[in-house]
Each structure stands twice: as structure tokens, then as C-alpha cells.
Amino acid sequence: YFIGQYVSSMVKEKEDRIKEGMLVMGLSPAAFKLSWYLLGFFEGFVISLTLSIVYCASYFGNSSFFLLFMLLFLFSTSIVAGANLVACFFSKAQIAGLAAPFIFLATVIPRFATSNPDSLFMLNVLSAFP
């Protein structure tokens, strides 16, 4: 849900040409891009914090809260970076919102679908996926 909404919002903004209007009004391109990254990192932070609290209270009671939070937060930052990449390829927000989760799953599943991850070749191939 997070990646679909994030990509859909980015493409909707591109579709409505809001960026061009803001650049005409004097916003720097770096500030524009930084705003999207900060939004994604904030959403990822809130989701990671919530999941860490729930997981430490129920499933992973003996695990370190900080390590679990960092694992989830760093994973969410990789999702934000991947979502920014995926958003570049779409011009319609509805299609992007539907396709982004499938693209994400298509890049994650090969890592778990291999039967022998000990092979050096397979590790090099899988390193291309998030």
C-alpha cells in the first residue's frame, strides 16, 4: 500500500505539472526532490516505528527494539528509492499506482525463489534486486 500510494502521488504531481509551476515560482529542483524523499522517509519512519513496537510487544519479544526498527526503517528507505525510480517510467497516476506494487514484488521475489543461494553467480545476480 505504501509504495503504490507514494508512486501514484508522484506521478499525479507529474501529470498535473505541479513541478513546473513551482519551479517557475522560484522553487529549486533540489528542494522539490528533497521534499519527496523527506515525505517518504517520514512515512517509512512512522510505519517502521509502529511495526517495531507491535513486533517487540508480540512476536519478537526477546529481540532488540533498535535493531528491529533499523531493519524496518532501512528497508523502507530502499522502498522510497525504488519508488522514485519506478515513478520515472509512468505518466498516468492510476496505472503507476497499480503497477508499482507488482514491480516491487517482481524485484523482491527472485531473491527468495532460488533454491541454492550459496552459488556465487546467483548471489551476483540477486544483488541487483532490493
Side-chain angles (χ1 to χ4, degrees), residues 7-125:
V7 170
S8 179
S9 298
M10 286 184 71
V11 175
K12 179 69 175 163
E13 190 172 50
K14 184 168 52 170
E15 196 175 16
D16 293 342
R17 301 199 185 275
I18 295 172
K19 179 181 179 180
E20 285 80 11
M22 295 178 92
L23 291 175
V24 166
M25 288 187 270
L27 182 70
S28 71
F32 178 78
K33 196 59 143 172
L34 183 65
S35 70
W36 275 110
Y37 278 106
L38 288 177
L39 175 70
F41 292 153
F42 178 73
E43 287 179 2
F45 179 81
V46 171
I47 291 170
S48 300
L49 185 65
T50 305
L51 286 176
S52 296
I53 292 170
V54 169
Y55 286 164
C56 280
S58 58
Y59 299 114
F60 304 118
N62 295 330
S63 298
S64 168
F65 174 80
F66 178 74
L67 290 178
L68 184 62
F69 170 75
M70 286 307 293
L71 174 75
L72 293 172
F73 182 68
L74 292 174
F75 180 70
S76 71
T77 58
S78 71
I79 290 176
V80 169
N84 281 305
L85 175 70
V86 169
C88 295
F89 298 110
F90 291 99
S91 59
K92 298 286 183 191
Q94 288 181 337
I95 296 171
L98 291 173
F102 292 113
I103 292 171
F104 174 72
L105 286 175
T107 60
V108 170
I109 287 176
R111 180 179 300 255
F112 301 107
T114 59
S115 60
N116 186 9
D118 295 331
S119 122
L120 183 61
F121 173 74
M122 195 54 67
L123 287 176
N124 288 336
V125 170

